[in-house]
């Protein structure tokens, strides 16, 4: 990301982070356990910002898709040794859902994904 794109993400993140309705919506979504819906929440609370399209492109192309591809590649390598080791992967919620999300990519590689309940 360019310096200007990084600055834009920081400013928008700070603005969103102080919005109580945004925080409540994220908590409800996360507790619901669905991998889909993260971008819808982002769009809803960013819609007042005229730079939304640019932000969405930065998030999708620059942060999420590229990072998801690297995550999945590394996870796949580690999981090839599944008979020897067990793994726990901590991943930000925004990386899970969507067409290029980690869950979809792992399923495409033949992994079975199970939701863990309390």
């Amino acid at each position: 990301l360019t310096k200007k794109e990084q600055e834009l993400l920081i400013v928008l993140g700070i603005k969103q982070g102080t919005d109580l309705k945004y925080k409540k919506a994220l908590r409800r979504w996360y507790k619901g356990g669905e991998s889909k819906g993260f971008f819808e929440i982002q769009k809803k609370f960013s819609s007042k910002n005229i730079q939304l399209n640019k932000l969405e492109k930065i998030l999708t192309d620059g942060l999420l898709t590229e990072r998801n591809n690297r995550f999945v590649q590394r996870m796949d390598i580690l999981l090839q040794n599944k008979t020897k080791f067990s793994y726990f992967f901590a991943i930000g919620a925004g990386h899970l859902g969507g067409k290029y999300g980690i869950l979809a990519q792992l399923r495409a590689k033949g992994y079975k994904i199970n939701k863990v309940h309390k």
Side-chain angles (χ1 to χ4, degrees):
L1 299 176
T2 67
K3 187 175 180 181
K4 191 169 189 147
E5 290 170 336
Q6 291 175 37
E7 289 171 0
L8 174 63
L9 285 175
I10 290 170
V11 169
L12 292 174
I14 290 169
K15 287 180 181 178
Q16 281 184 330
T18 59
D19 186 335
L20 292 177
K21 289 181 182 178
Y22 171 74
K23 288 179 183 180
K24 286 180 182 179
L26 275 182
R27 281 191 203 108
R28 274 193 312 273
W29 165 76
Y30 189 76
K31 287 180 179 180
E34 295 296 321
S35 61
K36 297 178 181 177
F38 181 77
F39 277 113
E40 286 72 20
I41 291 171
Q42 296 295 52
K43 287 178 188 178
K44 179 180 177 183
F45 287 92
S46 298
S47 62
K48 297 171 189 167
N49 192 310
I50 55 175
Q51 296 176 326
L52 172 62
N53 290 335
K54 184 172 183 174
L55 172 64
E56 190 172 357
K57 182 167 177 38
I58 292 167
L59 284 172
T60 303
D61 297 343
L63 291 178
L64 295 177
T65 302
E66 286 180 29
R67 290 179 81 190
N68 290 351
N69 293 342
R70 285 194 310 269
F71 287 154
V72 170
Q73 181 182 17
R74 291 173 183 163
M75 291 167 75
D76 187 37
I77 290 168
L78 291 171
L79 292 169
Q80 297 297 323
N81 295 316
K82 65 183 174 188
T83 57
K84 296 181 181 180
F85 303 103
S86 295
Y87 294 97
F88 174 84
F89 299 101
I91 300 165
H95 293 278
L96 298 176
K99 184 177 178 180
Y100 302 105
I102 288 174
L103 298 179
Q105 288 191 44
L106 287 172
R107 284 187 183 109
K109 289 185 172 287
Y111 290 100
K112 184 177 177 184
I113 308 295
N114 295 316
K115 181 179 174 182
V116 177
H117 300 276
K118 283 186 176 180

